[in-house]
Amino acid sequence: MSSSTERRTDGRGRTTGSVLSGLAVAVGCVLFLGGFVWAALIYRPYTVPTDSMSPTIAVGARVLAERVDGSEIRRGDIVVFKDSTWGALPMVKRVVGVGGDKISCCTKQGRLTINGTPVEEPYLQGSGPASPIGFKAKVPTGQLFLLGDHRSDSLDSRVHLTDGDHGSVPRSAVDARVDARAWPLGSVGVMQRPATFSALPGGTSQPGPVQPITLAVVSGAVLILVGAAYGPLARRKARKRA
């Protein structure tokens, strides 16, 4: 009698465990695949071809850029854009000025100023001034003023100051906003919005859903592995009992 009861109990236990493991795998697949589909709909991968955004983004690094409308761009954002005046290929630069801003460099302390307000730029390459050459520009309405983080090795708005738009590009030229570094593995991470721009009118932009997408993919992978591992572990345990 005791032996029969134990077999039924063990059978029910294995059935419950099998159901739960199957459910874990199913939910994991939904999260894992759903996260990739979600990312594919919102993000585009780009390879940064130059050293102009170092140290924030190294040459050859892969980034994930969220598809956004140019009207959503704020100061401090790193954007992927294409402008015929700058060349035929997509470029990656940081927005430091928007329509109506007066950009100037540099103060006695070597800082960039926006509408007369000096800004801290901790993301810059090196400890020198914010630009090796001084400049001034007023950004026309609907335009963006763009600089690289490696100011001594970046062909940006400063070299286009004599153009009709004072080195700026239209917001419509923006294809996407960089939200995260995806490669190399040692640099993987979400782009932080520079605090220095948050106090200026318009503030900074909100991050895209790269973090919840990553959480969904990782959680899905864990559930799939745990669910798939249940069967072999249960069988091994049953053999030991036998």
Side-chain angles (χ1 to χ4, degrees):
M1 183 67 176
S2 175
S3 176
S4 175
T5 301
E6 288 178 1
R7 284 196 297 270
R8 287 198 300 270
T9 301
D10 288 345
R12 286 197 299 271
R14 285 196 295 271
T15 300
T16 301
S18 298
V19 170
L20 290 177
S21 68
L23 181 61
V25 171
V27 173
C29 287
V30 171
L31 289 173
F32 188 78
L33 297 176
F36 275 106
V37 171
W38 188 7
L41 292 173
I42 296 176
Y43 287 99
R44 292 178 181 176
Y46 288 91
T47 300
V48 179
T50 71
D51 195 43
S52 68
M53 284 302 297
S54 177
T56 308
I57 307 173
V59 58
R62 297 279 286 179
V63 298
L64 295 178
E66 181 186 7
R67 297 179 176 97
V68 296
D69 186 82
S71 62
E72 300 178 42
I73 299 302
R74 301 289 182 268
R75 300 181 194 89
D77 287 343
I78 298 174
V79 298
V80 180
F81 68 98
K82 185 186 294 185
D83 185 81
S84 58
T85 304
W86 293 50
L89 298 176
M91 303 187 72
V92 179
K93 303 292 179 186
R94 187 185 296 274
V95 176
V96 298
V98 297
D101 284 347
K102 293 180 180 179
I103 312 296
S104 179
C105 197
C106 301
T107 66
K108 291 181 179 180
Q109 292 74 34
R111 295 182 187 174
L112 180 82
T113 65
I114 301 175
N115 301 322
T117 302
V119 295
E120 292 281 355
E121 297 184 278
Y123 45 77
L124 293 182
Q125 174 76 280
S127 58
S131 175
I133 55 171
F135 67 91
K136 292 182 179 180
K138 182 173 182 180
V139 188
T141 302
Q143 302 281 115
L144 301 170
F145 197 83
L146 304 156
L147 297 177
D149 288 357
H150 192 175
R151 299 283 162 82
S152 62
D153 190 27
S154 176
L155 299 178
D156 46 40
S157 288
R158 293 169 298 169
V159 303
H160 295 281
L161 290 174
T162 56
D163 297 346
D165 292 320
H166 307 287
S168 63
V169 301
R171 286 181 176 269
S172 59
V174 173
D175 292 327
R177 178 175 53 214
V178 176
D179 238 11
R181 292 178 295 264
W183 185 264
L185 292 177
S187 68
V188 171
V190 177
M191 291 293 178
Q192 301 299 318
R193 271 52 178 176
T196 187
F197 295 104
S198 60
L200 297 175
T204 52
S205 63
Q206 296 298 314
V210 65
Q211 288 183 316
I213 287 175
T214 302
L215 179 61
V217 171
V218 172
S219 299
V222 170
L223 285 172
I224 291 171
L225 291 174
V226 171
Y230 171 79
L233 291 175
R235 286 191 293 271
R236 176 181 295 181
K237 187 175 181 181
R239 285 196 297 269
K240 286 182 178 180
R241 285 182 177 179

